[in-house]
Structure formats: C-alpha cells, structure tokens
Amino acid sequence: MNRKIGALSLVVDDYDKAIAYYTEKLGFKLMEDIPLDEKKRWVLISPSGDTGTTDLLLARAADEEQKKAIGNQSGGRVFLFLHTDNFRRDYENMKAKGVSFLEEPRHESYGTVVVFEDLYGNKWDLIEHSFSKKT
C-alpha cells in the first residue's frame, strides 16, 4: 500500500493575506487557487512546489467556532514542521523578511531547529535533520 498525507488544513482569516504571507515570507509556492463559490476557495500552498510534499490547504474560517481555532489549532504547541536542506539559508532569509522567531537556533541530537510563529501565531519548527530521513 502506498499512501501519504497529501495536505493539512490550516484555518485562516483571509485567503489573500495568508497566501501573501506564506509565499512572500516563507517562500512557499501557490499550487492551486480555485473559486468554489462566492466565499470559498480551494487554496493549496507547498513548501517547495514539488508534487511529493505535503501541502497546506488554506481554509478561511466560515463561522465563529472556526475563527476561534485561527492560530491555535494545536493548543499552543508546535503545530507544523518545516524541513530544510539548508537551515542557515532559510533561517537568515526568513529572519530578513520579518518572520517572528521565538528562540535562537539550537542544536539537538536530531538536528538544528528553531521555533517560529506564522502571522496567526501558529508555532512551527524550522528544522534541518542531522540524519537521513527514510521515506
């Protein structure tokens, strides 16, 4: 059986604001932006633009309950893990673009990592593993 997680849904308040942040600040690629009706769009972004990666589906909050989840989809824990093949390059680039880092980069047994927040306050790890990841 060959399966993978193709996308994760990330609740946002505005499609265009979210697209701008993830593409301009984090360097993601806009993969799809398809209107579904007057209020809803199918918006997929990818960290690399490759079809083999897990995408993020930007889902605009449709009601008050969903709005409460914006920025807190994981109860305040690190929610998403952005893997990189060059930590220093991506860290410096993101820092120069105003990404909010919550700590200084640190070296762990598994690699180099730093926690940052996106525009909504979701916590992410930027990580370069020090070992080969099996796929």
Side-chain angles (χ1 to χ4, degrees), residues 39-115:
K39 295 181 180 180
K40 194 173 182 181
R41 290 158 51 185
W42 177 264
V43 178
L44 278 179
I45 59 172
S46 171
S48 68
D50 292 335
T51 57
T53 62
T54 301
D55 297 328
L56 285 179
L57 173 70
L58 301 179
R60 190 179 59 79
D63 59 31
E64 289 306 312
E65 191 64 28
Q66 291 176 11
K67 287 179 183 176
K68 291 178 189 175
I70 296 172
N72 193 30
Q73 291 188 188
S74 64
R77 294 187 58 113
V78 171
F79 175 50
L80 297 164
F81 299 82
L82 182 58
H83 292 198
T84 179
D85 62 351
N86 187 321
F87 181 89
R88 187 61 46 196
R89 173 199 65 211
D90 291 341
Y91 172 73
E92 294 298 337
N93 190 32
M94 291 164 62
K95 193 172 173 184
K97 291 181 178 182
V99 172
S100 175
F101 288 93
L102 302 180
E103 62 184 6
E104 292 299 314
R106 63 186 194 282
H107 299 285
E108 300 289 347
S109 59
Y110 52 85
T112 305
V113 64
V114 67
V115 177

